[in-house]
């Protein structure tokens, strides 16, 4: 059944051309063949994201600084969702550029001596070379030292093409690296308990490897530290994992770390910070009670680490009220604790830094997401480890997904960038303390919008039997309420979010120097595009307040 977006494009020459171009890109990404029909049926499921015009009214601005192609690899064979123009000439040009990247990566990496995380022997011929077996995935996430990677290079090489990277050397000056780490490079649990022991935290019991939703416990940090010592003494064999601790928000006077320069364009946490400084405004979706459900859900579920069950769209099936909490977390787990298979909340980016300890990451490029579900397409597997999965026969394509997983080991002091829509599992190989952020910006806001579109489709399907007893307005209100409860946002709240960002970027543009004008112009264009998309895809006039803002910037 075609989506609303597909239906309005069916029969048009532009639609046929886009599908043809997209099929070739899909073939380059996956080596699975250019099947236009299959691609059309999966137009908005996250495998090939936003193939229609990426930015209807604005060209992608050039980077303010020149990019040294001789210093860093310009492309990789696994490419994330990219802009696709309506025009044949620009689409063909993009296809040619993508193909050229695929062919030239080996030569470029050989020239630049770009290392890969935990590889052994020679550099692979291609970046993210596919593994031949789930047990022995290819470990090929690029590793860069902060002194060799500029912010502009990070955007062009990793954030814009939606590719992961490991960055070293960011924690040297962090207070957390001094206070939270013992002389033997272990977790200084005594310091943490003494200074922050009164904080209330949520702890997951990750003892059962097959549990997609681990049982949650409410503790103080002091109580968790007591369990930690009991566990280390062999008196408690549970594997408890302290997750989603809003440390920066709870202890603003203690600067444990500085957000690295690569990740400072953070709309999600900026929105929260602006809301903390200003009186809360009502959302056009309804009263404050409309957002009470996601707030309650957030108290029960993970944010960055997510859960594995039922996430058809790759954003986590727990709600998280964007206005009521930030997305800056501390994680603390002993050896053996883990996080099930998931993609991050709202399809956000995430960065995670090990203050101390080691983690094993297994990541799956987003074009293979469909392989993670059961034979009915409803439930996602909790892990890539087929042998440890209960009911493994329910996931007939999981072994195929495992052939495309990318594995890396994150050492102490390393920072990993996890792009939007990349499903992953995380295992602590040693006692590990990490700092994690989730964030959205102009380079991945279309992922969040695609998630909302899919959430609306799912919400309508769940309550379709209620339509006859409701007016159109009442039915849509129910749909939007369920969207907010399931993923933490609905169309109206997204519009409020984008209006705040749009106003902020417009203000910054007025006072920006020439170096920063391109960045703020790009952010304004993406905010405007997102608001127009919300307007286009909303069946009711739920976000009238966005129209004047959009028209002003037209």
């Amino acid at each position: 059944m075609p989506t609303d977006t597909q239906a309005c494009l069916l029969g048009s020459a532009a639609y046929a051309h886009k599908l043809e171009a997209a099929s070739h890109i899909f073939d380059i990404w996956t080596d699975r063949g250019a099947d236009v029909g299959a691609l059309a049926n999966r137009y908005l499921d996250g495998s090939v994201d936003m193939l229609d015009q990426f930015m209807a009214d604005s060209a992608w601005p050039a980077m303010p600084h020149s990019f040294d192609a001789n210093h860093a690899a310009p492309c990789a064979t696994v490419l994330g969702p990219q802009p696709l123009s309506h025009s044949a000439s620009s689409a063909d040009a993009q296809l040619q550029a993508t193909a050229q990247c695929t062919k030239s990566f080996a030569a470029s990496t050989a020239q630049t001596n770009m290392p890969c995380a935990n590889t052994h022997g020679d550099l692979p011929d291609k970046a993210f070379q596919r593994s031949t077996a789930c047990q022995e995935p290819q470990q090929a996430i690029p590793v860069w030292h902060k002194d060799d990677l500029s912010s502009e290079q990070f955007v062009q090489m990793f954030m814009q093409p939606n590719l992961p990277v490991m960055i070293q050397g960011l924690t040297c000056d962090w207070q957390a690296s001094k206070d939270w780490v013992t002389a033997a490079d272990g977790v200084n649990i005594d310091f943490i308990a003494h200074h922050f022991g009164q904080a209330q935290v949520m702890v997951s019991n990750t003892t059962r490897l097959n549990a997609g939703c681990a049982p949650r416990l409410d503790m103080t940090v002091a109580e968790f530290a007591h369990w930690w010592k009991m566990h280390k003494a062999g008196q408690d064999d549970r594997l408890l994992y302290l997750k989603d601790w809003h440390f920066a928000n709870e202890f603003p006077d203690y600067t444990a770390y500085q957000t690295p320069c690569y990740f400072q364009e953070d709309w999600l946490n900026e929105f929260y910070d602006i809301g903390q400084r200003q009186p809360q405004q009502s959302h056009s979706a309804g009263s404050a009670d409309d957002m009470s459900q996601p707030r309650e859900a957030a108290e029960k579920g993970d944010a960055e680490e997510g859960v594995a069950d039922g996430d058809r769209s790759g954003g986590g099936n727990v709600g998280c009220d964007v206005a009521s909490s930030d997305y800056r977390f501390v994680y603390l787990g002993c050896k053996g604790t883990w996080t099930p298979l998931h993609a991050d909340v709202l399809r956000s980016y995430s960065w995670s830094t090990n203050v101390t300890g080691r983690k094993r990451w297994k990541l799956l490029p987003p074009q293979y997401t469909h392989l993670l579900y059961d034979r009915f397409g409803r439930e996602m597997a909790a892990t890539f480890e087929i042998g440890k999965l209960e009911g493994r026969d329910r996931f007939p394509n999981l072994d195929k997904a495992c052939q495309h997983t990318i594995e890396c080991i994150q050492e102490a002091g390393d920072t990993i960038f996890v792009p939007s829509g990349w499903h992953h599992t995380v295992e602590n190989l040693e006692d590990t303390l990490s700092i994690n952020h989730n964030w959205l910006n102009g380079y991945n806001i279309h992922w969040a919008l695609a998630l909302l579109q899919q959430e609306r489709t799912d919400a309508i399907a769940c309550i379709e039997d209620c339509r006859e007893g409701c007016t159109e307005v009442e039915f849509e209100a129910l749909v939007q309420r369920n969207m907010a409860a399931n993923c933490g946002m609905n169309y109206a709240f997204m519009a409020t979010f984008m209006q705040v960002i749009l106003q902020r970027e417009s203000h910054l543009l007025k006072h920006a120097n020439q170096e920063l004008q391109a960045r703020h112009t790009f952010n304004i264009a993406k905010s405007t595009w997102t608001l127009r998309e919300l307007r286009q895809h909303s069946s009711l006039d739920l976000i009238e307040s966005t129209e004047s803002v959009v028209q002003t910037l037209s």
Side-chain angles (χ1 to χ4, degrees):
M1 189 72 181
T3 64
D4 294 341
T5 303
Q6 291 173 304
C8 69
L9 293 171
L10 283 173
S12 68
Y15 180 73
H17 174 76
K18 282 191 289 186
L19 282 180
E20 181 180 0
S23 68
H24 290 291
I25 292 178
F26 186 66
D27 187 26
I28 292 172
W29 286 351
T30 64
D31 298 327
R32 292 179 58 196
D35 185 346
V36 177
L39 185 63
N41 291 332
R42 294 169 46 244
Y43 189 76
L44 284 177
D45 74 346
S47 297
V48 182
D49 193 66
M50 301 299 288
L51 291 172
D52 54 340
Q53 186 176 2
F54 180 72
M55 199 185 309
D57 303 290
S58 302
W60 197 286
M63 295 303 297
H65 297 291
S66 60
F67 180 64
D68 185 0
N70 292 323
H71 182 70
C75 53
T77 57
V78 176
L79 298 179
Q82 297 294 301
L84 183 63
S85 171
H86 281 292
S87 66
S89 59
S90 55
D92 292 341
Q94 186 173 7
L95 284 169
Q96 294 173 5
T98 304
Q100 182 63 32
C101 280
T102 303
K103 295 177 182 178
S104 65
F105 182 83
S108 65
T109 51
Q111 294 173 0
T112 59
N113 297 319
M114 183 178 72
C116 291
N118 297 284
T119 54
H120 302 280
D122 296 334
L123 199 69
D125 293 336
K126 295 181 179 180
F128 307 108
Q129 181 176 347
R130 278 73 171 178
S131 62
T132 57
C134 184
Q135 291 78 11
E136 298 178 356
Q138 194 64 231
Q139 301 173 350
I141 289 182
V143 175
W144 285 80
H145 192 275
K146 68 178 182 63
D147 294 340
D148 301 321
L149 183 66
S150 70
S151 297
E152 291 81 5
Q153 290 170 343
F154 170 76
V155 169
Q156 290 201 14
M157 295 165 56
F158 303 109
M159 188 158 68
Q160 181 175 329
N162 207 49
L163 298 171
V165 64
M166 195 81 73
I167 305 174
Q168 298 176 334
L170 294 173
T171 65
C172 298
D173 298 327
W174 286 9
Q175 192 65 36
S177 297
K178 303 172 184 177
D179 294 342
W180 297 0
V181 182
T182 65
D185 294 328
V187 176
N188 193 339
I189 196 69
D190 290 329
F191 180 94
I192 294 171
H194 177 73
H195 289 83
F196 318 114
Q198 76 278 15
Q200 293 284 335
V201 292
M202 290 187 296
V203 177
S204 295
N205 187 344
T206 69
T207 306
R208 295 185 60 207
L209 287 177
N210 61 340
C213 287
R216 304 299 296 259
L217 304 172
D218 293 324
M219 290 185 174
T220 65
V221 170
E223 290 170 340
F224 180 79
H226 176 73
W227 165 84
W228 182 281
K229 294 179 178 180
M230 296 285 287
H231 178 77
K232 303 305 289 184
Q235 299 177 25
D236 192 327
D237 60 358
R238 291 177 299 168
L239 296 174
L240 302 186
Y241 198 176
L242 190 162
K243 296 184 177 183
D244 302 333
W245 182 10
H246 297 266
F247 180 88
N249 186 45
E250 294 183 35
F251 299 95
D253 295 332
Y254 180 90
T255 306
Y257 62 97
Q258 295 78 38
T259 300
C261 61
Y262 312 109
F263 317 129
Q264 290 183 357
E265 191 78 15
D266 180 347
W267 292 358
L268 204 54
N269 288 301
E270 286 173 5
F271 179 70
Y272 170 77
D273 293 340
I274 291 172
Q276 293 297 101
R277 295 192 297 267
Q278 299 176 354
Q280 291 294 319
Q281 298 179 356
S282 62
H283 310 302
S284 54
S287 67
D289 184 60
D290 289 332
M291 296 306 293
S292 63
Q293 286 185 346
R295 182 179 295 108
E296 293 168 359
E299 295 174 354
K300 302 176 183 178
D302 293 327
E304 186 272 337
E305 301 265 349
V307 292
D309 295 333
D311 175 21
R312 181 67 184 163
S313 52
N317 72 343
V318 294
C320 197
D321 184 354
V322 177
S324 66
S325 63
D326 65 333
Y327 286 79
R328 296 172 285 229
F329 308 108
V330 167
Y331 283 68
L332 177 56
C334 64
K335 177 180 180 180
T337 50
W338 73 300
T339 299
L341 183 59
H342 70 284
D344 289 322
V345 62
L346 296 175
R347 287 187 174 178
S348 58
Y349 295 137
S350 69
W351 64 267
S352 178
T353 299
N354 282 356
V355 177
T356 186
R358 301 173 75 235
K359 290 184 178 183
R360 175 186 288 116
W361 292 76
K362 292 185 179 180
L363 303 97
L364 184 71
Q367 58 265 34
Y368 302 110
T369 298
H370 62 286
L371 299 175
L372 300 175
Y373 289 92
D374 63 15
R375 62 182 69 256
F376 302 106
R378 298 171 182 170
E379 182 182 352
M380 180 181 289
T383 177
F384 291 119
E385 303 293 335
I386 301 176
K388 299 178 181 179
L389 193 66
E390 288 185 355
R392 67 194 70 173
D393 294 339
R394 292 185 295 126
F395 303 96
N397 296 313
L398 189 58
D399 57 340
K400 297 178 183 178
C402 289
Q403 294 177 15
H404 302 285
T405 57
I406 302 163
E407 180 176 324
C408 67
I409 305 299
Q410 180 188 19
E411 304 289 348
D414 288 355
T415 299
I416 188 171
F417 166 66
V418 181
S420 294
W422 284 64
H423 283 75
H424 52 280
T425 60
V426 189
E427 179 186 1
N428 291 323
L429 302 179
E430 298 175 358
D431 298 344
T432 302
L433 191 156
S434 64
I435 293 169
N436 305 346
H437 282 207
N438 290 91
W439 87 103
L440 296 168
N441 60 27
Y443 290 100
N444 70 339
I445 192 64
H446 59 286
W447 281 90
L449 181 60
L451 171 64
L452 284 186
Q453 292 169 348
Q454 185 62 51
E455 287 287 344
R456 182 172 182 271
T457 299
D458 294 344
I460 290 174
C462 288
I463 62 171
E464 187 65 43
D465 57 345
C466 299
R467 187 187 290 270
E468 292 184 0
C470 303
T471 66
E472 185 179 6
V473 173
E474 290 171 341
F475 183 78
E476 184 65 26
L478 288 173
V479 169
Q480 295 295 319
R481 184 181 178 89
N482 287 351
M483 288 170 59
N486 289 335
C487 73
M489 268 196 184
N490 56 21
Y491 282 176
F493 195 90
M494 180 88 162
T496 301
F497 171 48
M498 295 314 306
Q499 284 176 14
V500 170
I501 299 302
L502 180 57
Q503 292 169 1
R504 175 186 176 278
E505 292 296 327
S506 299
H507 173 76
L508 292 175
L509 179 62
K510 294 178 181 179
H511 305 282
N513 57 31
Q514 186 174 3
E515 181 180 351
L516 297 176
Q517 285 179 356
R519 176 196 298 176
H520 296 306
T521 300
F522 169 72
N523 289 339
I524 289 172
K526 286 306 297 292
S527 301
T528 305
W529 172 85
T530 305
L531 288 167
R532 282 186 168 143
E533 287 292 302
L534 285 168
R535 178 78 179 185
Q536 176 183 345
H537 290 286
S538 179
S539 62
L540 296 176
D541 197 9
L542 296 173
I543 48 176
E544 291 181 353
S545 57
T546 67
E547 189 172 14
S548 60
V549 180
V550 174
Q551 290 177 350
T552 300
L553 294 171
S554 298

